[in-house]
Amino acid sequence: MKVTGVVLERQGALSLRDIDIPGTLAPGANEVRIAIKSVGICGSDVHYFKHGRIGDFIVTEPMILGHEASGVVEEIGSAVTHLRVGDRVCMEPGVPDFSSIETLRGMYNLDPSVRFWATPPYHGCLTAEVVHPASLTYRLPDSVSFAEGAMVEPLAIGVYAAAKAQIRPGDIAVVTGAGTIGMMVVFAALAAGCAEVIVSDVAAEKLALLATHPEVTTVDLTRESLADAVAARTDGRGVDVFFEASGSTRPYETMIDLIGRGGRIVLVGMPQEKPQLDVVALQVKEISLTGTFRYANVWDRTLKLLGSGKIDLKPLISATFPFSDSVRAFDRAAQHLPSDVKIQISL
């Protein structure tokens, strides 16, 4: 079928045009057809735009971008019972093999055959309509706008990381990196029970957005030492949880020194190079270490948090462009302005 979409033609070349894609807009029995209303531009979208690949995922033919989306249900399949036409929704963008071992064990994010929007060779959602599994489509709370609904995807990464950290009430955490995902981890850690989160970055503009929260201590790495801040805030004991969300290898050099005995490390950012880690120091302190890949089984919890008002994402939406200006929106996102957090496209 032919649709109009924001198409990555090849590395560095983006266009808004008609394109033929597989499938049909008629939903199957367990699917819904959704009119897209708002789409956020993710760092991965920009990376594909600028570099044409992420690791082994390489853009070899034109691909529609976008995977952070909200919309309105236009049609439901014959077996769908929890959604109605007209429902305002957001969509979990990774579709696993529902019969795989990973999915059956509850780790559907680790299913090797998952079809994730805007990850080669699969098209994304920056187009007028999509068909999606009803089981991965969630009704938005009345208090949540379409723009906020398109922020559920990155927030789910933070909620998943907080769940993996096994946060206990009163914990003190460090988050390295105050980009979009780092901010989501901060908010999720606080909602999960952290008494304080110490967040570090080199971008003063982004740290300023977090400094308005009384439970957050910001550390500008161009002027301050994270180690000194942790020592001061924990009486030298070290933090309970350490989230690495910057994607840099530098935090690996000192993270174990900043964690108290029996603490936990959750790796969220993905470094381009292989970091070095002092395994003996990890063992001596009995520090637990885990990685995260996207999210699983937290989408409904994320929506409840957002709908409750415990997390306010509206200040993070830096600019919104109409669909007709999508290429300009990507050009803006690719500038990585220090004051920008999330650029969105409205349909």
Side-chain angles (χ1 to χ4, degrees):
M1 63 176 176
K2 189 180 291 292
V3 301
T4 301
V6 179
V7 180
L8 177 60
E9 307 287 359
R10 59 190 178 279
Q11 180 181 346
L14 200 63
S15 64
L16 179 62
R17 67 169 176 90
D18 292 343
I19 182 174
D20 285 313
I21 64 173
T24 172
L25 284 175
N30 293 296
E31 295 178 322
V32 292
R33 178 166 56 89
I34 301 153
I36 299 296
K37 294 297 182 183
S38 187
V39 179
I41 298 177
C42 177
S44 64
D45 293 318
V46 174
H47 200 88
Y48 281 124
F49 173 38
K50 299 300 290 184
H51 303 285
R53 66 184 296 165
I54 296 178
D56 294 333
F57 296 102
I58 304 170
V59 178
T60 58
E61 56 186 36
M63 178 183 75
I64 297 174
L65 291 171
H67 64 262
E68 304 174 2
S70 62
V72 175
V73 175
E74 290 193 318
E75 185 180 357
I76 63 172
S78 59
V80 177
T81 59
H82 71 286
L83 294 170
R84 296 286 184 268
V85 172
D87 281 348
R88 300 163 59 255
V89 294
C90 63
M91 296 75 74
E92 193 166 348
V95 182
D97 175 356
F98 288 99
S99 64
S100 73
I101 292 296
E102 292 82 7
T103 300
L104 294 174
R105 289 178 175 175
M107 304 180 296
Y108 59 89
N109 58 318
L110 303 182
D111 174 17
S113 62
V114 66
R115 293 176 287 118
F116 199 90
W117 277 344
T119 298
Y122 305 109
H123 289 290
C125 61
L126 260 169
T127 184
E129 296 177 307
V130 297
V131 170
H132 202 60
S135 59
L136 298 174
T137 302
Y138 300 82
R139 188 183 296 108
L140 294 178
D142 292 341
S143 60
V144 175
S145 67
F146 286 123
E148 293 169 284
M151 295 281 279
V152 171
E153 197 274 343
L155 181 58
I157 295 173
V159 173
Y160 185 61
K164 294 284 278 188
Q166 300 180 347
I167 291 171
R168 295 184 286 267
D171 276 351
I172 297 179
V174 157
V175 176
T176 49
T180 302
I181 299 305
M183 290 186 183
M184 301 302 174
V185 173
V186 170
F187 296 145
L190 290 172
C194 278
E196 182 180 0
V197 176
I198 304 165
V199 57
S200 65
D201 205 292
V202 296
E205 295 87 348
K206 288 183 171 60
L207 291 173
L209 289 170
L210 294 167
T212 59
H213 298 267
E215 308 95 338
V216 175
T217 297
T218 59
V219 178
D220 184 340
L221 294 176
T222 65
R223 301 185 298 108
E224 306 170 73
S225 161
L226 178 58
D228 289 346
V230 168
R233 302 303 300 175
T234 65
D235 294 326
R237 191 192 69 83
V239 296
D240 304 291
V241 184
F242 191 106
F243 295 96
E244 203 309 285
S246 71
S248 169
T249 58
R250 294 197 63 181
Y252 289 81
E253 299 171 7
T254 57
M255 62 170 61
I256 295 175
D257 297 333
L258 306 184
I259 304 170
R261 290 173 175 81
R264 286 91 70 201
I265 298 173
V266 180
L267 305 178
V268 184
M270 293 185 173
Q272 296 296 311
E273 301 173 355
K274 291 184 178 181
Q276 292 188 339
L277 188 67
D278 188 340
V279 176
V280 173
L282 191 83
Q283 292 173 305
V284 169
K285 284 188 170 182
E286 285 200 4
I287 293 171
S288 301
L289 171 67
T290 185
T292 61
F293 186 63
R294 295 171 180 157
Y295 34 70
N297 305 304
V298 296
W299 209 268
D300 55 341
R301 293 177 178 272
T302 304
L303 275 167
K304 289 174 184 176
L305 276 175
L306 197 55
S308 72
K310 290 183 181 295
I311 296 176
D312 181 12
L313 300 181
K314 292 187 289 294
L316 306 187
I317 301 172
S318 306
T320 303
F321 291 75
F323 186 56
S324 59
D325 276 347
S326 293
V327 174
R328 191 162 63 92
F330 270 86
D331 287 339
R332 163 80 174 264
Q335 294 178 50
H336 299 291
L337 299 176
S339 57
D340 281 350
V341 179
K342 180 60 63 176
I343 306 297
Q344 290 191 334
I345 295 170
S346 176
L347 286 78

PDB file of all heavy atoms in Angstrom, residues 2 4 23 28 53 59 78 85 170 180 185 193 197 210 215 252 255 262 264-265 270 281 297-298 301 307 309 321 336:
ATOM      1  N   LYS A   2       0.314   2.353  -0.445  1.00  0.00           N
ATOM      2  CA  LYS A   2       1.058   3.596  -0.532  1.00  0.00           C
ATOM      3  C   LYS A   2       0.609   4.533   0.596  1.00  0.00           C
ATOM      4  O   LYS A   2      -0.586   4.730   0.816  1.00  0.00           O
ATOM      5  CB  LYS A   2       0.833   4.261  -1.886  1.00  0.00           C
ATOM      6  CG  LYS A   2       1.740   5.473  -2.149  1.00  0.00           C
ATOM      7  CD  LYS A   2       1.471   6.071  -3.498  1.00  0.00           C
ATOM      8  CE  LYS A   2       1.917   5.170  -4.626  1.00  0.00           C
ATOM      9  NZ  LYS A   2       3.410   5.041  -4.678  1.00  0.00           N
ATOM     10  N   THR A   4       1.910   8.333   2.919  1.00  0.00           N
ATOM     11  CA  THR A   4       2.805   9.483   2.994  1.00  0.00           C
ATOM     12  C   THR A   4       3.538   9.421   4.322  1.00  0.00           C
ATOM     13  O   THR A   4       2.910   9.316   5.379  1.00  0.00           O
ATOM     14  CB  THR A   4       2.025  10.800   2.883  1.00  0.00           C
ATOM     15  OG1 THR A   4       1.316  10.812   1.650  1.00  0.00           O
ATOM     16  CG2 THR A   4       2.977  11.986   2.927  1.00  0.00           C
ATOM     17  N   GLY A  23       1.779  -4.637   3.550  1.00  0.00           N
ATOM     18  CA  GLY A  23       0.615  -4.723   4.420  1.00  0.00           C
ATOM     19  C   GLY A  23      -0.572  -3.921   3.940  1.00  0.00           C
ATOM     20  O   GLY A  23      -0.614  -3.414   2.817  1.00  0.00           O
ATOM     21  N   GLY A  28      -6.339  -6.767  11.455  1.00  0.00           N
ATOM     22  CA  GLY A  28      -6.718  -8.147  11.685  1.00  0.00           C
ATOM     23  C   GLY A  28      -7.569  -8.275  12.935  1.00  0.00           C
ATOM     24  O   GLY A  28      -7.878  -7.282  13.619  1.00  0.00           O
ATOM     25  N   ARG A  53      23.073   4.049  10.347  1.00  0.00           N
ATOM     26  CA  ARG A  53      23.128   2.755  11.027  1.00  0.00           C
ATOM     27  C   ARG A  53      23.252   2.957  12.530  1.00  0.00           C
ATOM     28  O   ARG A  53      23.688   4.006  13.007  1.00  0.00           O
ATOM     29  CB  ARG A  53      24.326   1.934  10.541  1.00  0.00           C
ATOM     30  CG  ARG A  53      25.683   2.531  10.905  1.00  0.00           C
ATOM     31  CD  ARG A  53      26.832   1.728  10.324  1.00  0.00           C
ATOM     32  NE  ARG A  53      26.865   0.371  10.893  1.00  0.00           N
ATOM     33  CZ  ARG A  53      27.574  -0.616  10.359  1.00  0.00           C
ATOM     34  NH1 ARG A  53      28.260  -0.426   9.242  1.00  0.00           N
ATOM     35  NH2 ARG A  53      27.588  -1.811  10.938  1.00  0.00           N
ATOM     36  N   VAL A  59      20.580   0.963   7.535  1.00  0.00           N
ATOM     37  CA  VAL A  59      19.548   1.390   6.595  1.00  0.00           C
ATOM     38  C   VAL A  59      20.040   1.102   5.182  1.00  0.00           C
ATOM     39  O   VAL A  59      20.977   1.739   4.695  1.00  0.00           O
ATOM     40  CB  VAL A  59      19.232   2.890   6.752  1.00  0.00           C
ATOM     41  CG1 VAL A  59      18.185   3.325   5.733  1.00  0.00           C
ATOM     42  CG2 VAL A  59      18.739   3.177   8.171  1.00  0.00           C
ATOM     43  N   SER A  78     -12.033  -7.729  15.003  1.00  0.00           N
ATOM     44  CA  SER A  78     -13.225  -8.433  15.505  1.00  0.00           C
ATOM     45  C   SER A  78     -13.032  -9.013  16.896  1.00  0.00           C
ATOM     46  O   SER A  78     -14.012  -9.210  17.626  1.00  0.00           O
ATOM     47  CB  SER A  78     -13.609  -9.546  14.531  1.00  0.00           C
ATOM     48  OG  SER A  78     -12.527 -10.470  14.379  1.00  0.00           O
ATOM     49  N   VAL A  85     -13.467   2.556  19.096  1.00  0.00           N
ATOM     50  CA  VAL A  85     -13.203   3.617  18.134  1.00  0.00           C
ATOM     51  C   VAL A  85     -13.334   4.965  18.843  1.00  0.00           C
ATOM     52  O   VAL A  85     -14.274   5.198  19.609  1.00  0.00           O
ATOM     53  CB  VAL A  85     -14.187   3.537  16.952  1.00  0.00           C
ATOM     54  CG1 VAL A  85     -14.050   4.767  16.042  1.00  0.00           C
ATOM     55  CG2 VAL A  85     -13.942   2.260  16.145  1.00  0.00           C
ATOM     56  N   GLY A 170      13.673   5.430  50.281  1.00  0.00           N
ATOM     57  CA  GLY A 170      14.759   6.114  50.950  1.00  0.00           C
ATOM     58  C   GLY A 170      16.107   5.959  50.295  1.00  0.00           C
ATOM     59  O   GLY A 170      17.094   6.553  50.750  1.00  0.00           O
ATOM     60  N   THR A 180      17.515  13.102  27.435  1.00  0.00           N
ATOM     61  CA  THR A 180      16.106  12.692  27.562  1.00  0.00           C
ATOM     62  C   THR A 180      15.963  11.450  28.421  1.00  0.00           C
ATOM     63  O   THR A 180      15.158  11.412  29.358  1.00  0.00           O
ATOM     64  CB  THR A 180      15.497  12.445  26.174  1.00  0.00           C
ATOM     65  OG1 THR A 180      15.598  13.631  25.389  1.00  0.00           O
ATOM     66  CG2 THR A 180      14.039  12.055  26.306  1.00  0.00           C
ATOM     67  N   VAL A 185      14.935   8.533  33.709  1.00  0.00           N
ATOM     68  CA  VAL A 185      15.407   7.680  34.802  1.00  0.00           C
ATOM     69  C   VAL A 185      15.305   8.425  36.132  1.00  0.00           C
ATOM     70  O   VAL A 185      14.891   7.855  37.155  1.00  0.00           O
ATOM     71  CB  VAL A 185      16.849   7.205  34.537  1.00  0.00           C
ATOM     72  CG1 VAL A 185      17.398   6.458  35.749  1.00  0.00           C
ATOM     73  CG2 VAL A 185      16.905   6.315  33.304  1.00  0.00           C
ATOM     74  N   GLY A 193      10.613   5.635  44.760  1.00  0.00           N
ATOM     75  CA  GLY A 193      10.896   5.710  46.187  1.00  0.00           C
ATOM     76  C   GLY A 193      12.222   6.294  46.582  1.00  0.00           C
ATOM     77  O   GLY A 193      12.525   6.385  47.781  1.00  0.00           O
ATOM     78  N   VAL A 197      18.071  11.942  44.136  1.00  0.00           N
ATOM     79  CA  VAL A 197      18.810  11.509  42.952  1.00  0.00           C
ATOM     80  C   VAL A 197      19.850  12.574  42.637  1.00  0.00           C
ATOM     81  O   VAL A 197      19.537  13.762  42.535  1.00  0.00           O
ATOM     82  CB  VAL A 197      17.888  11.299  41.739  1.00  0.00           C
ATOM     83  CG1 VAL A 197      18.721  10.941  40.505  1.00  0.00           C
ATOM     84  CG2 VAL A 197      16.866  10.200  42.009  1.00  0.00           C
ATOM     85  N   LEU A 210      16.198  19.998  35.728  1.00  0.00           N
ATOM     86  CA  LEU A 210      16.056  19.057  36.841  1.00  0.00           C
ATOM     87  C   LEU A 210      16.244  19.727  38.195  1.00  0.00           C
ATOM     88  O   LEU A 210      15.735  19.240  39.208  1.00  0.00           O
ATOM     89  CB  LEU A 210      17.074  17.931  36.690  1.00  0.00           C
ATOM     90  CG  LEU A 210      16.865  17.013  35.479  1.00  0.00           C
ATOM     91  CD1 LEU A 210      18.095  16.147  35.257  1.00  0.00           C
ATOM     92  CD2 LEU A 210      15.621  16.155  35.666  1.00  0.00           C
ATOM     93  N   GLU A 215      14.164  17.115  45.267  1.00  0.00           N
ATOM     94  CA  GLU A 215      14.807  15.834  45.570  1.00  0.00           C
ATOM     95  C   GLU A 215      15.989  15.550  44.661  1.00  0.00           C
ATOM     96  O   GLU A 215      16.611  14.488  44.762  1.00  0.00           O
ATOM     97  CB  GLU A 215      13.794  14.683  45.430  1.00  0.00           C
ATOM     98  CG  GLU A 215      12.509  14.878  46.213  1.00  0.00           C
ATOM     99  CD  GLU A 215      11.408  15.484  45.331  1.00  0.00           C
ATOM    100  OE1 GLU A 215      11.751  16.118  44.309  1.00  0.00           O
ATOM    101  OE2 GLU A 215      10.233  15.323  45.673  1.00  0.00           O
ATOM    102  N   TYR A 252      32.320   4.410  33.889  1.00  0.00           N
ATOM    103  CA  TYR A 252      32.776   3.085  34.298  1.00  0.00           C
ATOM    104  C   TYR A 252      34.080   3.156  35.087  1.00  0.00           C
ATOM    105  O   TYR A 252      34.389   2.251  35.866  1.00  0.00           O
ATOM    106  CB  TYR A 252      32.963   2.188  33.066  1.00  0.00           C
ATOM    107  CG  TYR A 252      31.671   1.781  32.405  1.00  0.00           C
ATOM    108  CD1 TYR A 252      31.016   2.646  31.537  1.00  0.00           C
ATOM    109  CD2 TYR A 252      31.102   0.531  32.640  1.00  0.00           C
ATOM    110  CE1 TYR A 252      29.826   2.286  30.920  1.00  0.00           C
ATOM    111  CE2 TYR A 252      29.915   0.159  32.033  1.00  0.00           C
ATOM    112  CZ  TYR A 252      29.286   1.041  31.173  1.00  0.00           C
ATOM    113  OH  TYR A 252      28.100   0.680  30.577  1.00  0.00           O
ATOM    114  N   MET A 255      32.571   4.453  38.776  1.00  0.00           N
ATOM    115  CA  MET A 255      31.245   4.166  39.330  1.00  0.00           C
ATOM    116  C   MET A 255      31.303   3.295  40.583  1.00  0.00           C
ATOM    117  O   MET A 255      30.552   3.523  41.545  1.00  0.00           O
ATOM    118  CB  MET A 255      30.324   3.534  38.275  1.00  0.00           C
ATOM    119  CG  MET A 255      30.775   2.209  37.728  1.00  0.00           C
ATOM    120  SD  MET A 255      29.490   1.386  36.711  1.00  0.00           S
ATOM    121  CE  MET A 255      29.212   2.546  35.390  1.00  0.00           C
ATOM    122  N   GLY A 262      26.953  -3.509  48.702  1.00  0.00           N
ATOM    123  CA  GLY A 262      25.653  -4.112  48.445  1.00  0.00           C
ATOM    124  C   GLY A 262      24.774  -3.291  47.521  1.00  0.00           C
ATOM    125  O   GLY A 262      23.577  -3.584  47.392  1.00  0.00           O
ATOM    126  N   ARG A 264      23.582  -1.313  43.782  1.00  0.00           N
ATOM    127  CA  ARG A 264      23.173  -1.853  42.484  1.00  0.00           C
ATOM    128  C   ARG A 264      23.569  -0.887  41.368  1.00  0.00           C
ATOM    129  O   ARG A 264      23.476   0.329  41.541  1.00  0.00           O
ATOM    130  CB  ARG A 264      21.655  -2.051  42.415  1.00  0.00           C
ATOM    131  CG  ARG A 264      21.137  -3.238  43.214  1.00  0.00           C
ATOM    132  CD  ARG A 264      20.762  -2.856  44.626  1.00  0.00           C
ATOM    133  NE  ARG A 264      19.574  -2.012  44.691  1.00  0.00           N
ATOM    134  CZ  ARG A 264      19.271  -1.227  45.723  1.00  0.00           C
ATOM    135  NH1 ARG A 264      20.077  -1.150  46.769  1.00  0.00           N
ATOM    136  NH2 ARG A 264      18.173  -0.507  45.709  1.00  0.00           N
ATOM    137  N   ILE A 265      24.015  -1.452  40.253  1.00  0.00           N
ATOM    138  CA  ILE A 265      24.311  -0.684  39.040  1.00  0.00           C
ATOM    139  C   ILE A 265      23.324  -1.108  37.961  1.00  0.00           C
ATOM    140  O   ILE A 265      23.128  -2.316  37.725  1.00  0.00           O
ATOM    141  CB  ILE A 265      25.741  -0.933  38.530  1.00  0.00           C
ATOM    142  CG1 ILE A 265      26.783  -0.480  39.558  1.00  0.00           C
ATOM    143  CG2 ILE A 265      25.970  -0.223  37.195  1.00  0.00           C
ATOM    144  CD1 ILE A 265      28.213  -0.856  39.164  1.00  0.00           C
ATOM    145  N   MET A 270      24.150   3.121  26.090  1.00  0.00           N
ATOM    146  CA  MET A 270      24.912   2.139  25.322  1.00  0.00           C
ATOM    147  C   MET A 270      26.174   2.797  24.768  1.00  0.00           C
ATOM    148  O   MET A 270      26.098   3.586  23.822  1.00  0.00           O
ATOM    149  CB  MET A 270      24.074   1.567  24.185  1.00  0.00           C
ATOM    150  CG  MET A 270      22.910   0.715  24.664  1.00  0.00           C
ATOM    151  SD  MET A 270      22.044  -0.059  23.292  1.00  0.00           S
ATOM    152  CE  MET A 270      20.912  -1.119  24.206  1.00  0.00           C
ATOM    153  N   ALA A 281      36.743  -5.138  42.404  1.00  0.00           N
ATOM    154  CA  ALA A 281      36.097  -4.136  43.253  1.00  0.00           C
ATOM    155  C   ALA A 281      34.595  -4.359  43.306  1.00  0.00           C
ATOM    156  O   ALA A 281      33.959  -4.181  44.348  1.00  0.00           O
ATOM    157  CB  ALA A 281      36.401  -2.737  42.725  1.00  0.00           C
ATOM    158  N   ASN A 297       6.834  -5.018  30.131  1.00  0.00           N
ATOM    159  CA  ASN A 297       5.837  -5.141  31.201  1.00  0.00           C
ATOM    160  C   ASN A 297       5.745  -3.917  32.109  1.00  0.00           C
ATOM    161  O   ASN A 297       5.417  -4.040  33.290  1.00  0.00           O
ATOM    162  CB  ASN A 297       6.132  -6.388  32.060  1.00  0.00           C
ATOM    163  CG  ASN A 297       6.214  -7.654  31.233  1.00  0.00           C
ATOM    164  OD1 ASN A 297       5.275  -7.995  30.510  1.00  0.00           O
ATOM    165  ND2 ASN A 297       7.334  -8.347  31.316  1.00  0.00           N
ATOM    166  N   VAL A 298       6.016  -2.727  31.555  1.00  0.00           N
ATOM    167  CA  VAL A 298       5.919  -1.519  32.387  1.00  0.00           C
ATOM    168  C   VAL A 298       5.062  -0.436  31.734  1.00  0.00           C
ATOM    169  O   VAL A 298       4.917   0.643  32.296  1.00  0.00           O
ATOM    170  CB  VAL A 298       7.316  -0.922  32.694  1.00  0.00           C
ATOM    171  CG1 VAL A 298       8.149  -1.895  33.514  1.00  0.00           C
ATOM    172  CG2 VAL A 298       8.047  -0.523  31.424  1.00  0.00           C
ATOM    173  N   ARG A 301       2.112   0.694  33.867  1.00  0.00           N
ATOM    174  CA  ARG A 301       2.591   1.413  35.056  1.00  0.00           C
ATOM    175  C   ARG A 301       3.050   2.819  34.685  1.00  0.00           C
ATOM    176  O   ARG A 301       2.820   3.784  35.430  1.00  0.00           O
ATOM    177  CB  ARG A 301       3.744   0.650  35.706  1.00  0.00           C
ATOM    178  CG  ARG A 301       3.355  -0.680  36.319  1.00  0.00           C
ATOM    179  CD  ARG A 301       4.572  -1.405  36.864  1.00  0.00           C
ATOM    180  NE  ARG A 301       4.197  -2.654  37.484  1.00  0.00           N
ATOM    181  CZ  ARG A 301       3.839  -2.781  38.758  1.00  0.00           C
ATOM    182  NH1 ARG A 301       3.816  -1.704  39.533  1.00  0.00           N
ATOM    183  NH2 ARG A 301       3.501  -3.943  39.251  1.00  0.00           N
ATOM    184  N   GLY A 307      -0.476   9.681  34.363  1.00  0.00           N
ATOM    185  CA  GLY A 307      -1.845  10.130  34.605  1.00  0.00           C
ATOM    186  C   GLY A 307      -2.072  10.629  36.014  1.00  0.00           C
ATOM    187  O   GLY A 307      -2.937  11.483  36.245  1.00  0.00           O
ATOM    188  N   GLY A 309      -0.103  12.440  37.734  1.00  0.00           N
ATOM    189  CA  GLY A 309       0.518  13.742  37.944  1.00  0.00           C
ATOM    190  C   GLY A 309       1.817  13.682  38.720  1.00  0.00           C
ATOM    191  O   GLY A 309       2.443  14.719  38.962  1.00  0.00           O
ATOM    192  N   PHE A 321       6.610  20.697  15.657  1.00  0.00           N
ATOM    193  CA  PHE A 321       6.535  21.068  14.249  1.00  0.00           C
ATOM    194  C   PHE A 321       5.340  20.369  13.603  1.00  0.00           C
ATOM    195  O   PHE A 321       5.037  19.221  13.952  1.00  0.00           O
ATOM    196  CB  PHE A 321       7.804  20.652  13.512  1.00  0.00           C
ATOM    197  CG  PHE A 321       9.032  21.428  13.883  1.00  0.00           C
ATOM    198  CD1 PHE A 321       9.693  21.206  15.084  1.00  0.00           C
ATOM    199  CD2 PHE A 321       9.549  22.384  13.015  1.00  0.00           C
ATOM    200  CE1 PHE A 321      10.836  21.910  15.419  1.00  0.00           C
ATOM    201  CE2 PHE A 321      10.694  23.103  13.341  1.00  0.00           C
ATOM    202  CZ  PHE A 321      11.330  22.865  14.546  1.00  0.00           C
ATOM    203  N   HIS A 336      21.220  19.130  18.175  1.00  0.00           N
ATOM    204  CA  HIS A 336      21.493  18.796  19.579  1.00  0.00           C
ATOM    205  C   HIS A 336      21.714  20.059  20.403  1.00  0.00           C
ATOM    206  O   HIS A 336      22.704  20.184  21.141  1.00  0.00           O
ATOM    207  CB  HIS A 336      22.706  17.871  19.695  1.00  0.00           C
ATOM    208  CG  HIS A 336      22.533  16.552  18.999  1.00  0.00           C
ATOM    209  ND1 HIS A 336      21.653  15.591  19.435  1.00  0.00           N
ATOM    210  CD2 HIS A 336      23.125  16.047  17.883  1.00  0.00           C
ATOM    211  CE1 HIS A 336      21.718  14.541  18.629  1.00  0.00           C
ATOM    212  NE2 HIS A 336      22.587  14.798  17.675  1.00  0.00           N
TER     213      HIS A 336
END
